[in-house]
Amino acid sequence: MVNDLDIQFQKAYKEASKLRERLPPDVMLKLYAYYKQAVKGDHFSFNTNNGLRNAFKFNAWMQLKGMSEDQAKQEYINLVNSIIK
């Protein structure tokens, strides 16, 4: 069942995907981490390809361990809204 939070999350994802401005690396990492936590939760997987870049992404995601998927969705939405305003 799709709830209001899921709809807002999908809308925020579409908005973030349309951004053409270059965002600071820390903001990009937060977007990545909140998204991964929202869709995968604590089911971490690490891609060893692309070494350092993926290590930073994985670390950002790991820092959210224990955060609920709904909370991660809300944080993602909040971050996207703060970027596009």
Side-chain angles (χ1 to χ4, degrees), residues 5 10 18-19 25-26 40-42 44 47 50 57 63-65 68 70 73-74:
L5 183 62
Q10 289 302 322
K18 291 191 290 186
L19 288 174
D26 62 320
K40 297 226 182 228
D42 287 342
F44 303 108
N47 182 351
N50 216 359
K57 290 166 63 174
Q63 290 179 29
L64 301 181
K65 184 177 182 177
S68 74
D70 283 349
K73 287 177 185 177
Q74 188 61 58

Side-chain angles (χ1 to χ4, degrees), residues 26-44 56-76 79:
D26 62 320
V27 174
M28 292 295 293
L29 284 172
K30 285 180 186 177
L31 282 172
Y32 173 83
Y34 287 137
Y35 181 83
K36 291 295 271 190
Q37 190 67 18
V39 299
K40 297 226 182 228
D42 287 342
H43 302 285
F44 303 108
F56 276 107
K57 290 166 63 174
F58 183 72
N59 183 51
W61 182 19
M62 287 283 298
Q63 290 179 29
L64 301 181
K65 184 177 182 177
M67 178 182 281
S68 74
E69 293 174 13
D70 283 349
Q71 184 180 356
K73 287 177 185 177
Q74 188 61 58
E75 292 297 332
Y76 184 90
L79 183 56

Side-chain angles (χ1 to χ4, degrees), residues 1-4 6 73:
M1 182 175 164
V2 177
N3 63 33
D4 188 50
D6 291 327
K73 287 177 185 177

